[in-house]
Amino acid sequence: MTMTAEPTTEPTTEAAPRVAAARPSIARLTSIELRKLTDTRAGRWLLATIGLIAVAIAVVQLFVLDDAEQTFTSFLSPSLLPVGLLLPVVGILSITSEWTQRTALTTYALVPHRERVVLAKLAAVVLAAVASVLVSLAVAAAGTLAAKATGGAGSWDGEWALVLNAVVFQLVNVLMGAAFGLLLLNTPLAIVGYLLLPTVWSILAAMISALQGPANWLDTSVTMEPLFGNEMTAGQWGRLAVSVLVWVAVPLVAGLLRTLRREVS
């Protein structure tokens, strides 16, 4: 009697389906970039310096201005210029630190779509610009209350359109800094380029009469000056848009293309 062996079946293991990791949202990336703004010592000191300058200007205004001139607008306007000069450096550091500190390899390995990282960085510096305006408004309000308490005018009357103009002013400045950072991808070069090139253009326009006409459209110091006035006309908004196109949009697009194509090492 012969016995036939039963066929043995070995258990088969099926590979588990791969689950694609969900890519982080723009909001998540923006929150990370906002945290990066204060992670470094340079970023923390720069933001602290911006706040201290706004406070110092308000204190000086209390002693310098006549009682009748101590109004909310008088406290707000002077604080916008130094803040607008330093805030773009924050935008530059946000862009260039990835390359100067060699963290781009990690950042773009975790988020291969570089345009999403750049968009998050731009969103972060835009939020920083809006926050700087809120700080200036708070300091101006505190200065107005202090002026009223010490016998000054402490008037809240003024052109409240200046608040919107202040937001536009800071946004243009910080995006210009970020554009130079994207274009040059080097912190010293970007800071020098941002500070030097518009200044050289303004000097040349003042010295050469043939450049004075184009300067009315291309010199940001000229096109943004009406933002501090009572009312912007349609022509002034148009000249501001042209200067923003030249100094912000063009380097921003060129810098984005360079960032997307540059080899990370």
mmCIF file of all heavy atoms in Angstrom, residues 114-167:
data_model
loop_
_atom_site.group_PDB
_atom_site.id
_atom_site.type_symbol
_atom_site.label_atom_id
_atom_site.label_comp_id
_atom_site.label_asym_id
_atom_site.label_seq_id
_atom_site.Cartn_x
_atom_site.Cartn_y
_atom_site.Cartn_z
ATOM 1 N N ARG A 114 10.757 72.679 -5.054
ATOM 2 C CA ARG A 114 11.396 73.873 -4.502
ATOM 3 C C ARG A 114 10.483 75.092 -4.540
ATOM 4 O O ARG A 114 10.583 75.967 -3.687
ATOM 5 C CB ARG A 114 12.690 74.173 -5.262
ATOM 6 C CG ARG A 114 13.724 73.061 -5.179
ATOM 7 C CD ARG A 114 15.024 73.496 -5.845
ATOM 8 N NE ARG A 114 15.970 72.393 -5.940
ATOM 9 C CZ ARG A 114 17.197 72.493 -6.439
ATOM 10 N NH1 ARG A 114 17.618 73.672 -6.893
ATOM 11 N NH2 ARG A 114 17.980 71.446 -6.505
ATOM 12 N N GLU A 115 9.613 75.149 -5.553
ATOM 13 C CA GLU A 115 8.744 76.322 -5.655
ATOM 14 C C GLU A 115 7.822 76.424 -4.449
ATOM 15 O O GLU A 115 7.442 77.536 -4.050
ATOM 16 C CB GLU A 115 7.929 76.276 -6.952
ATOM 17 C CG GLU A 115 6.922 75.151 -7.065
ATOM 18 C CD GLU A 115 7.529 73.842 -7.544
ATOM 19 O OE1 GLU A 115 8.770 73.790 -7.696
ATOM 20 O OE2 GLU A 115 6.758 72.900 -7.783
ATOM 21 N N ARG A 116 7.474 75.302 -3.819
ATOM 22 C CA ARG A 116 6.635 75.342 -2.620
ATOM 23 C C ARG A 116 7.409 75.936 -1.444
ATOM 24 O O ARG A 116 6.854 76.691 -0.643
ATOM 25 C CB ARG A 116 6.138 73.934 -2.278
ATOM 26 C CG ARG A 116 5.108 73.390 -3.262
ATOM 27 C CD ARG A 116 4.836 71.919 -3.006
ATOM 28 N NE ARG A 116 4.376 71.679 -1.653
ATOM 29 C CZ ARG A 116 3.127 71.844 -1.224
ATOM 30 N NH1 ARG A 116 2.201 72.259 -2.078
ATOM 31 N NH2 ARG A 116 2.791 71.591 0.017
ATOM 32 N N VAL A 117 8.680 75.591 -1.350
ATOM 33 C CA VAL A 117 9.507 76.152 -0.281
ATOM 34 C C VAL A 117 9.663 77.655 -0.474
ATOM 35 O O VAL A 117 9.553 78.435 0.480
ATOM 36 C CB VAL A 117 10.884 75.465 -0.244
ATOM 37 C CG1 VAL A 117 11.778 76.102 0.814
ATOM 38 C CG2 VAL A 117 10.732 73.971 0.019
ATOM 39 N N VAL A 118 9.925 78.067 -1.709
ATOM 40 C CA VAL A 118 10.090 79.499 -1.994
ATOM 41 C C VAL A 118 8.795 80.243 -1.693
ATOM 42 O O VAL A 118 8.809 81.340 -1.106
ATOM 43 C CB VAL A 118 10.516 79.716 -3.456
ATOM 44 C CG1 VAL A 118 10.516 81.199 -3.801
ATOM 45 C CG2 VAL A 118 11.902 79.117 -3.699
ATOM 46 N N LEU A 119 7.654 79.662 -2.090
ATOM 47 C CA LEU A 119 6.360 80.294 -1.808
ATOM 48 C C LEU A 119 6.145 80.443 -0.311
ATOM 49 O O LEU A 119 5.656 81.476 0.164
ATOM 50 C CB LEU A 119 5.230 79.467 -2.436
ATOM 51 C CG LEU A 119 3.802 80.003 -2.223
ATOM 52 C CD1 LEU A 119 3.655 81.399 -2.809
ATOM 53 C CD2 LEU A 119 2.784 79.048 -2.849
ATOM 54 N N ALA A 120 6.530 79.416 0.454
ATOM 55 C CA ALA A 120 6.383 79.496 1.912
ATOM 56 C C ALA A 120 7.283 80.573 2.497
ATOM 57 O O ALA A 120 6.893 81.295 3.422
ATOM 58 C CB ALA A 120 6.704 78.134 2.536
ATOM 59 N N LYS A 121 8.498 80.702 1.974
ATOM 60 C CA LYS A 121 9.408 81.743 2.452
ATOM 61 C C LYS A 121 8.842 83.131 2.157
ATOM 62 O O LYS A 121 8.903 84.039 3.005
ATOM 63 C CB LYS A 121 10.785 81.581 1.795
ATOM 64 C CG LYS A 121 11.564 80.359 2.272
ATOM 65 C CD LYS A 121 12.913 80.277 1.586
ATOM 66 C CE LYS A 121 13.696 79.060 2.057
ATOM 67 N NZ LYS A 121 14.067 79.155 3.490
ATOM 68 N N LEU A 122 8.289 83.313 0.964
ATOM 69 C CA LEU A 122 7.705 84.607 0.619
ATOM 70 C C LEU A 122 6.494 84.908 1.500
ATOM 71 O O LEU A 122 6.304 86.046 1.940
ATOM 72 C CB LEU A 122 7.305 84.622 -0.857
ATOM 73 C CG LEU A 122 8.445 84.519 -1.871
ATOM 74 C CD1 LEU A 122 7.898 84.525 -3.295
ATOM 75 C CD2 LEU A 122 9.447 85.654 -1.690
ATOM 76 N N ALA A 123 5.686 83.888 1.765
ATOM 77 C CA ALA A 123 4.532 84.089 2.651
ATOM 78 C C ALA A 123 4.981 84.464 4.056
ATOM 79 O O ALA A 123 4.363 85.317 4.712
ATOM 80 C CB ALA A 123 3.673 82.826 2.682
ATOM 81 N N ALA A 124 6.074 83.858 4.510
ATOM 82 C CA ALA A 124 6.576 84.156 5.857
ATOM 83 C C ALA A 124 7.050 85.595 5.971
ATOM 84 O O ALA A 124 6.754 86.292 6.954
ATOM 85 C CB ALA A 124 7.701 83.186 6.219
ATOM 86 N N VAL A 125 7.788 86.071 4.964
ATOM 87 C CA VAL A 125 8.294 87.445 5.047
ATOM 88 C C VAL A 125 7.160 88.447 4.854
ATOM 89 O O VAL A 125 7.205 89.557 5.399
ATOM 90 C CB VAL A 125 9.432 87.683 4.035
ATOM 91 C CG1 VAL A 125 10.620 86.783 4.343
ATOM 92 C CG2 VAL A 125 8.979 87.472 2.602
ATOM 93 N N VAL A 126 6.135 88.080 4.089
ATOM 94 C CA VAL A 126 4.967 88.955 3.956
ATOM 95 C C VAL A 126 4.266 89.089 5.307
ATOM 96 O O VAL A 126 3.871 90.195 5.718
ATOM 97 C CB VAL A 126 4.001 88.411 2.882
ATOM 98 C CG1 VAL A 126 2.622 89.060 3.006
ATOM 99 C CG2 VAL A 126 4.558 88.667 1.491
ATOM 100 N N LEU A 127 4.103 87.975 6.011
ATOM 101 C CA LEU A 127 3.498 88.034 7.354
ATOM 102 C C LEU A 127 4.368 88.843 8.305
ATOM 103 O O LEU A 127 3.848 89.571 9.167
ATOM 104 C CB LEU A 127 3.297 86.617 7.886
ATOM 105 C CG LEU A 127 2.224 85.779 7.167
ATOM 106 C CD1 LEU A 127 2.191 84.368 7.737
ATOM 107 C CD2 LEU A 127 0.861 86.429 7.288
ATOM 108 N N ALA A 128 5.691 88.720 8.160
ATOM 109 C CA ALA A 128 6.587 89.523 8.997
ATOM 110 C C ALA A 128 6.418 91.008 8.705
ATOM 111 O O ALA A 128 6.470 91.844 9.624
ATOM 112 C CB ALA A 128 8.032 89.095 8.769
ATOM 113 N N ALA A 129 6.222 91.359 7.429
ATOM 114 C CA ALA A 129 6.013 92.761 7.070
ATOM 115 C C ALA A 129 4.719 93.294 7.666
ATOM 116 O O ALA A 129 4.672 94.413 8.201
ATOM 117 C CB ALA A 129 5.996 92.907 5.546
ATOM 118 N N VAL A 130 3.648 92.494 7.594
ATOM 119 C CA VAL A 130 2.376 92.917 8.186
ATOM 120 C C VAL A 130 2.524 93.063 9.702
ATOM 121 O O VAL A 130 2.000 94.007 10.306
ATOM 122 C CB VAL A 130 1.266 91.907 7.828
ATOM 123 C CG1 VAL A 130 -0.034 92.260 8.550
ATOM 124 C CG2 VAL A 130 1.034 91.879 6.317
ATOM 125 N N ALA A 131 3.253 92.126 10.320
ATOM 126 C CA ALA A 131 3.479 92.204 11.764
ATOM 127 C C ALA A 131 4.254 93.462 12.134
ATOM 128 O O ALA A 131 3.991 94.087 13.171
ATOM 129 C CB ALA A 131 4.218 90.961 12.248
ATOM 130 N N SER A 132 5.213 93.854 11.288
ATOM 131 C CA SER A 132 5.980 95.068 11.575
ATOM 132 C C SER A 132 5.094 96.309 11.543
ATOM 133 O O SER A 132 5.282 97.237 12.341
ATOM 134 C CB SER A 132 7.127 95.217 10.568
ATOM 135 O OG SER A 132 6.652 95.616 9.292
ATOM 136 N N VAL A 133 4.116 96.319 10.629
ATOM 137 C CA VAL A 133 3.179 97.446 10.586
ATOM 138 C C VAL A 133 2.331 97.468 11.859
ATOM 139 O O VAL A 133 2.065 98.537 12.428
ATOM 140 C CB VAL A 133 2.288 97.363 9.332
ATOM 141 C CG1 VAL A 133 1.239 98.469 9.340
ATOM 142 C CG2 VAL A 133 3.130 97.462 8.069
ATOM 143 N N LEU A 134 1.903 96.298 12.316
ATOM 144 C CA LEU A 134 1.122 96.237 13.556
ATOM 145 C C LEU A 134 1.943 96.740 14.744
ATOM 146 O O LEU A 134 1.417 97.430 15.625
ATOM 147 C CB LEU A 134 0.657 94.802 13.807
ATOM 148 C CG LEU A 134 -0.330 94.228 12.780
ATOM 149 C CD1 LEU A 134 -0.673 92.780 13.121
ATOM 150 C CD2 LEU A 134 -1.596 95.072 12.715
ATOM 151 N N VAL A 135 3.238 96.391 14.752
ATOM 152 C CA VAL A 135 4.109 96.893 15.821
ATOM 153 C C VAL A 135 4.224 98.406 15.743
ATOM 154 O O VAL A 135 4.142 99.111 16.770
ATOM 155 C CB VAL A 135 5.502 96.233 15.740
ATOM 156 C CG1 VAL A 135 6.477 96.905 16.689
ATOM 157 C CG2 VAL A 135 5.401 94.744 16.056
ATOM 158 N N SER A 136 4.399 98.941 14.540
ATOM 159 C CA SER A 136 4.490 100.393 14.367
ATOM 160 C C SER A 136 3.199 101.075 14.809
ATOM 161 O O SER A 136 3.223 102.145 15.441
ATOM 162 C CB SER A 136 4.794 100.738 12.904
ATOM 163 O OG SER A 136 6.063 100.260 12.522
ATOM 164 N N LEU A 137 2.057 100.458 14.488
ATOM 165 C CA LEU A 137 0.776 101.025 14.909
ATOM 166 C C LEU A 137 0.656 101.012 16.433
ATOM 167 O O LEU A 137 0.179 101.991 17.034
ATOM 168 C CB LEU A 137 -0.374 100.227 14.285
ATOM 169 C CG LEU A 137 -0.571 100.370 12.778
ATOM 170 C CD1 LEU A 137 -1.632 99.390 12.290
ATOM 171 C CD2 LEU A 137 -0.962 101.788 12.411
ATOM 172 N N ALA A 138 1.085 99.922 17.054
ATOM 173 C CA ALA A 138 1.006 99.838 18.518
ATOM 174 C C ALA A 138 1.909 100.865 19.178
ATOM 175 O O ALA A 138 1.520 101.520 20.158
ATOM 176 C CB ALA A 138 1.380 98.422 18.974
ATOM 177 N N VAL A 139 3.115 101.033 18.640
ATOM 178 C CA VAL A 139 4.040 102.013 19.202
ATOM 179 C C VAL A 139 3.504 103.427 18.993
ATOM 180 O O VAL A 139 3.584 104.277 19.896
ATOM 181 C CB VAL A 139 5.436 101.855 18.567
ATOM 182 C CG1 VAL A 139 6.355 102.996 18.983
ATOM 183 C CG2 VAL A 139 6.042 100.516 18.959
ATOM 184 N N ALA A 140 2.946 103.695 17.805
ATOM 185 C CA ALA A 140 2.375 105.023 17.539
ATOM 186 C C ALA A 140 1.194 105.298 18.465
ATOM 187 O O ALA A 140 1.021 106.424 18.955
ATOM 188 C CB ALA A 140 1.947 105.120 16.076
ATOM 189 N N ALA A 141 0.373 104.268 18.716
ATOM 190 C CA ALA A 141 -0.754 104.451 19.634
ATOM 191 C C ALA A 141 -0.264 104.732 21.049
ATOM 192 O O ALA A 141 -0.803 105.609 21.750
ATOM 193 C CB ALA A 141 -1.637 103.205 19.611
ATOM 194 N N ALA A 142 0.766 104.001 21.482
ATOM 195 C CA ALA A 142 1.325 104.241 22.815
ATOM 196 C C ALA A 142 1.927 105.638 22.907
ATOM 197 O O ALA A 142 1.777 106.334 23.927
ATOM 198 C CB ALA A 142 2.386 103.188 23.131
ATOM 199 N N GLY A 143 2.601 106.069 21.843
ATOM 200 C CA GLY A 143 3.157 107.420 21.831
ATOM 201 C C GLY A 143 2.081 108.486 21.887
ATOM 202 O O GLY A 143 2.237 109.510 22.572
ATOM 203 N N THR A 144 0.971 108.249 21.193
ATOM 204 C CA THR A 144 -0.133 109.214 21.214
ATOM 205 C C THR A 144 -0.749 109.317 22.600
ATOM 206 O O THR A 144 -1.049 110.419 23.084
ATOM 207 C CB THR A 144 -1.204 108.793 20.188
ATOM 208 O OG1 THR A 144 -0.604 108.653 18.892
ATOM 209 C CG2 THR A 144 -2.310 109.833 20.103
ATOM 210 N N LEU A 145 -0.935 108.172 23.253
ATOM 211 C CA LEU A 145 -1.484 108.185 24.611
ATOM 212 C C LEU A 145 -0.526 108.858 25.591
ATOM 213 O O LEU A 145 -0.955 109.615 26.476
ATOM 214 C CB LEU A 145 -1.773 106.749 25.058
ATOM 215 C CG LEU A 145 -2.903 106.022 24.321
ATOM 216 C CD1 LEU A 145 -2.982 104.568 24.770
ATOM 217 C CD2 LEU A 145 -4.233 106.734 24.541
ATOM 218 N N ALA A 146 0.776 108.590 25.420
ATOM 219 C CA ALA A 146 1.762 109.225 26.302
ATOM 220 C C ALA A 146 1.786 110.733 26.086
ATOM 221 O O ALA A 146 1.923 111.509 27.036
ATOM 222 C CB ALA A 146 3.145 108.631 26.042
ATOM 223 N N ALA A 147 1.659 111.158 24.819
ATOM 224 C CA ALA A 147 1.645 112.594 24.528
ATOM 225 C C ALA A 147 0.437 113.271 25.169
ATOM 226 O O ALA A 147 0.537 114.369 25.730
ATOM 227 C CB ALA A 147 1.635 112.816 23.014
ATOM 228 N N LYS A 148 -0.705 112.604 25.091
ATOM 229 C CA LYS A 148 -1.905 113.185 25.686
ATOM 230 C C LYS A 148 -1.790 113.236 27.207
ATOM 231 O O LYS A 148 -2.263 114.196 27.852
ATOM 232 C CB LYS A 148 -3.122 112.346 25.280
ATOM 233 C CG LYS A 148 -4.455 113.036 25.559
ATOM 234 C CD LYS A 148 -5.588 112.296 24.865
ATOM 235 C CE LYS A 148 -6.892 113.068 25.027
ATOM 236 N NZ LYS A 148 -8.015 112.409 24.318
ATOM 237 N N ALA A 149 -1.152 112.237 27.796
ATOM 238 C CA ALA A 149 -1.009 112.209 29.252
ATOM 239 C C ALA A 149 -0.035 113.263 29.763
ATOM 240 O O ALA A 149 -0.139 113.707 30.911
ATOM 241 C CB ALA A 149 -0.546 110.820 29.697
ATOM 242 N N THR A 150 0.911 113.672 28.906
ATOM 243 C CA THR A 150 1.916 114.660 29.324
ATOM 244 C C THR A 150 1.590 116.075 28.853
ATOM 245 O O THR A 150 2.457 116.940 28.872
ATOM 246 C CB THR A 150 3.296 114.250 28.793
ATOM 247 O OG1 THR A 150 3.235 114.086 27.366
ATOM 248 C CG2 THR A 150 3.760 112.945 29.423
ATOM 249 N N GLY A 151 0.381 116.281 28.375
ATOM 250 C CA GLY A 151 -0.032 117.623 27.990
ATOM 251 C C GLY A 151 0.064 117.918 26.517
ATOM 252 O O GLY A 151 -0.214 119.048 26.091
ATOM 253 N N GLY A 152 0.465 116.942 25.710
ATOM 254 C CA GLY A 152 0.527 117.166 24.271
ATOM 255 C C GLY A 152 -0.834 117.033 23.632
ATOM 256 O O GLY A 152 -1.847 116.786 24.300
ATOM 257 N N ALA A 153 -0.853 117.176 22.308
ATOM 258 C CA ALA A 153 -2.125 117.114 21.600
ATOM 259 C C ALA A 153 -2.737 115.724 21.709
ATOM 260 O O ALA A 153 -3.923 115.568 22.019
ATOM 261 C CB ALA A 153 -1.932 117.498 20.133
ATOM 262 N N GLY A 154 -1.924 114.713 21.455
ATOM 263 C CA GLY A 154 -2.436 113.344 21.527
ATOM 264 C C GLY A 154 -3.607 113.116 20.614
ATOM 265 O O GLY A 154 -4.527 112.352 20.932
ATOM 266 N N SER A 155 -3.575 113.746 19.452
ATOM 267 C CA SER A 155 -4.707 113.674 18.529
ATOM 268 C C SER A 155 -4.650 112.388 17.713
ATOM 269 O O SER A 155 -3.588 111.953 17.279
ATOM 270 C CB SER A 155 -4.699 114.885 17.599
ATOM 271 O OG SER A 155 -5.697 114.752 16.601
ATOM 272 N N TRP A 156 -5.844 111.801 17.500
ATOM 273 C CA TRP A 156 -5.954 110.607 16.668
ATOM 274 C C TRP A 156 -6.380 110.961 15.260
ATOM 275 O O TRP A 156 -6.567 110.064 14.422
ATOM 276 C CB TRP A 156 -6.961 109.629 17.273
ATOM 277 C CG TRP A 156 -6.555 109.151 18.626
ATOM 278 C CD1 TRP A 156 -6.895 109.701 19.828
ATOM 279 C CD2 TRP A 156 -5.714 108.041 18.927
ATOM 280 N NE1 TRP A 156 -6.326 109.003 20.861
ATOM 281 C CE2 TRP A 156 -5.592 107.963 20.347
ATOM 282 C CE3 TRP A 156 -5.041 107.098 18.150
ATOM 283 C CZ2 TRP A 156 -4.844 106.988 20.983
ATOM 284 C CZ3 TRP A 156 -4.293 106.120 18.779
ATOM 285 C CH2 TRP A 156 -4.193 106.067 20.177
ATOM 286 N N ASP A 157 -6.566 112.235 15.008
ATOM 287 C CA ASP A 157 -6.970 112.659 13.672
ATOM 288 C C ASP A 157 -5.821 112.457 12.708
ATOM 289 O O ASP A 157 -4.656 112.649 13.041
ATOM 290 C CB ASP A 157 -7.394 114.139 13.681
ATOM 291 C CG ASP A 157 -8.618 114.377 14.556
ATOM 292 O OD1 ASP A 157 -9.390 113.414 14.719
ATOM 293 O OD2 ASP A 157 -8.778 115.498 15.073
ATOM 294 N N GLY A 158 -6.146 112.107 11.504
ATOM 295 C CA GLY A 158 -5.119 111.910 10.488
ATOM 296 C C GLY A 158 -5.686 111.127 9.333
ATOM 297 O O GLY A 158 -6.847 110.707 9.329
ATOM 298 N N GLU A 159 -4.882 110.968 8.346
ATOM 299 C CA GLU A 159 -5.285 110.207 7.179
ATOM 300 C C GLU A 159 -5.085 108.722 7.466
ATOM 301 O O GLU A 159 -3.971 108.211 7.439
ATOM 302 C CB GLU A 159 -4.467 110.644 5.954
ATOM 303 C CG GLU A 159 -4.664 112.089 5.556
ATOM 304 C CD GLU A 159 -6.068 112.364 5.052
ATOM 305 O OE1 GLU A 159 -6.731 111.402 4.598
ATOM 306 O OE2 GLU A 159 -6.508 113.519 5.122
ATOM 307 N N TRP A 160 -6.197 108.024 7.722
ATOM 308 C CA TRP A 160 -6.096 106.613 8.060
ATOM 309 C C TRP A 160 -5.733 105.763 6.849
ATOM 310 O O TRP A 160 -5.439 104.567 6.997
ATOM 311 C CB TRP A 160 -7.398 106.142 8.696
ATOM 312 C CG TRP A 160 -7.536 106.687 10.082
ATOM 313 C CD1 TRP A 160 -8.239 107.790 10.458
ATOM 314 C CD2 TRP A 160 -6.936 106.175 11.267
ATOM 315 N NE1 TRP A 160 -8.112 108.004 11.810
ATOM 316 C CE2 TRP A 160 -7.320 107.023 12.339
ATOM 317 C CE3 TRP A 160 -6.109 105.089 11.545
ATOM 318 C CZ2 TRP A 160 -6.910 106.812 13.646
ATOM 319 C CZ3 TRP A 160 -5.704 104.881 12.854
ATOM 320 C CH2 TRP A 160 -6.094 105.728 13.882
ATOM 321 N N ALA A 161 -5.771 106.363 5.657
ATOM 322 C CA ALA A 161 -5.264 105.652 4.480
ATOM 323 C C ALA A 161 -3.774 105.381 4.607
ATOM 324 O O ALA A 161 -3.231 104.512 3.921
ATOM 325 C CB ALA A 161 -5.544 106.457 3.213
ATOM 326 N N LEU A 162 -3.109 106.132 5.508
ATOM 327 C CA LEU A 162 -1.683 105.913 5.731
ATOM 328 C C LEU A 162 -1.413 104.501 6.244
ATOM 329 O O LEU A 162 -0.342 103.941 5.980
ATOM 330 C CB LEU A 162 -1.153 106.945 6.737
ATOM 331 C CG LEU A 162 0.334 106.851 7.111
ATOM 332 C CD1 LEU A 162 1.217 107.062 5.894
ATOM 333 C CD2 LEU A 162 0.679 107.859 8.192
ATOM 334 N N VAL A 163 -2.369 103.907 6.945
ATOM 335 C CA VAL A 163 -2.179 102.545 7.449
ATOM 336 C C VAL A 163 -2.063 101.570 6.283
ATOM 337 O O VAL A 163 -1.173 100.707 6.246
ATOM 338 C CB VAL A 163 -3.341 102.156 8.385
ATOM 339 C CG1 VAL A 163 -3.186 100.708 8.839
ATOM 340 C CG2 VAL A 163 -3.393 103.096 9.580
ATOM 341 N N LEU A 164 -2.958 101.690 5.305
ATOM 342 C CA LEU A 164 -2.878 100.839 4.113
ATOM 343 C C LEU A 164 -1.597 101.111 3.342
ATOM 344 O O LEU A 164 -0.929 100.181 2.870
ATOM 345 C CB LEU A 164 -4.097 101.078 3.213
ATOM 346 C CG LEU A 164 -4.079 100.351 1.855
ATOM 347 C CD1 LEU A 164 -4.038 98.845 2.037
ATOM 348 C CD2 LEU A 164 -5.294 100.756 1.028
ATOM 349 N N ASN A 165 -1.237 102.385 3.217
ATOM 350 C CA ASN A 165 -0.004 102.734 2.513
ATOM 351 C C ASN A 165 1.222 102.171 3.232
ATOM 352 O O ASN A 165 2.201 101.770 2.597
ATOM 353 C CB ASN A 165 0.122 104.251 2.393
ATOM 354 C CG ASN A 165 -0.938 104.846 1.484
ATOM 355 O OD1 ASN A 165 -1.677 104.127 0.813
ATOM 356 N ND2 ASN A 165 -1.030 106.162 1.460
ATOM 357 N N ALA A 166 1.156 102.135 4.565
ATOM 358 C CA ALA A 166 2.267 101.572 5.334
ATOM 359 C C ALA A 166 2.431 100.088 5.043
ATOM 360 O O ALA A 166 3.554 99.582 4.923
ATOM 361 C CB ALA A 166 2.040 101.798 6.825
ATOM 362 N N VAL A 167 1.310 99.378 4.917
ATOM 363 C CA VAL A 167 1.376 97.954 4.583
ATOM 364 C C VAL A 167 1.995 97.768 3.201
ATOM 365 O O VAL A 167 2.863 96.907 3.002
ATOM 366 C CB VAL A 167 -0.032 97.320 4.650
ATOM 367 C CG1 VAL A 167 0.012 95.878 4.170
ATOM 368 C CG2 VAL A 167 -0.577 97.388 6.065
#
